[in-house]
Every structure is written in structure tokens, then in C-alpha cells.
Amino acid sequence: MDNQDLLQRIQTLVDEEHQLREGPAEEAESRRERLRRVGQDLDQCWDLLRQRRAKHDAGGNPADAGARPIDQVEGYRQ
């Protein structure tokens, strides 16, 4: 997966997140769970993109970057 693929995946997840937030109230519980997973996926994708860019900027190979576990990515401070 290259940076462009990651950006497309991020856009797909953002679009899904917006749709879920605008969904019907009667499906709130299932939407909340899906929103949580979409948020985690977004955090993981953004982290991977930042890793790839940092490796590139440092003269390394962006392909050496790998997705980190959700519990690690979710623990980062903004």
C-alpha cells in the first residue's frame, strides 16, 4: 500500500464516518460500535501514513513502515 492508497482509504473511512453520524436514531447502538471501529481504523491509517512520510523524509524506505496495533495507536497524545 502506498501513500495514495492510504489517502484513499482514509477518505473512504471519513465518508463512512459522516454517513454513520447522520444515520437513523433507531440504529444508534450498532452505529456507535461501527463509529468506534472506523475511528480506530482512521487512527491506524493516519499513523501509518505519518510513519511512511517520516521514513521517506529521513532517507529511508517508506515500505518498511508497518501498521501498529490499535491499542498502541489509540494511546498516542494529540
Side-chain angles (χ1 to χ4, degrees):
M1 181 177 285
D2 65 14
N3 290 2
Q4 190 59 39
D5 293 334
L6 274 169
L7 288 168
Q8 288 175 331
R9 174 76 176 134
I10 288 168
Q11 185 59 55
T12 299
L13 288 166
V14 167
D15 291 344
E16 181 178 358
E17 183 180 47
H18 289 190
Q19 289 174 351
L20 287 166
R21 290 188 188 282
E22 296 170 1
E26 57 271 2
E27 299 172 9
E29 188 61 37
S30 63
R31 276 197 349 260
R32 262 194 300 276
E33 176 59 26
R34 182 61 191 146
L35 270 168
R36 184 184 68 76
R37 285 181 296 193
V38 167
Q40 290 174 337
D41 289 349
L42 275 168
D43 289 346
Q44 203 171 32
C45 285
W46 279 115
D47 177 66
L48 180 55
L49 184 61
R50 283 190 293 273
Q51 283 184 66
R52 289 180 56 81
R53 287 176 173 169
K55 285 191 180 292
H56 177 268
D57 291 347
N61 184 357
D64 291 341
R68 296 180 222 213
I70 292 293
D71 58 336
Q72 182 180 358
V73 173
E74 289 288 300
Y76 294 150
R77 292 179 139 192
Q78 295 292 326

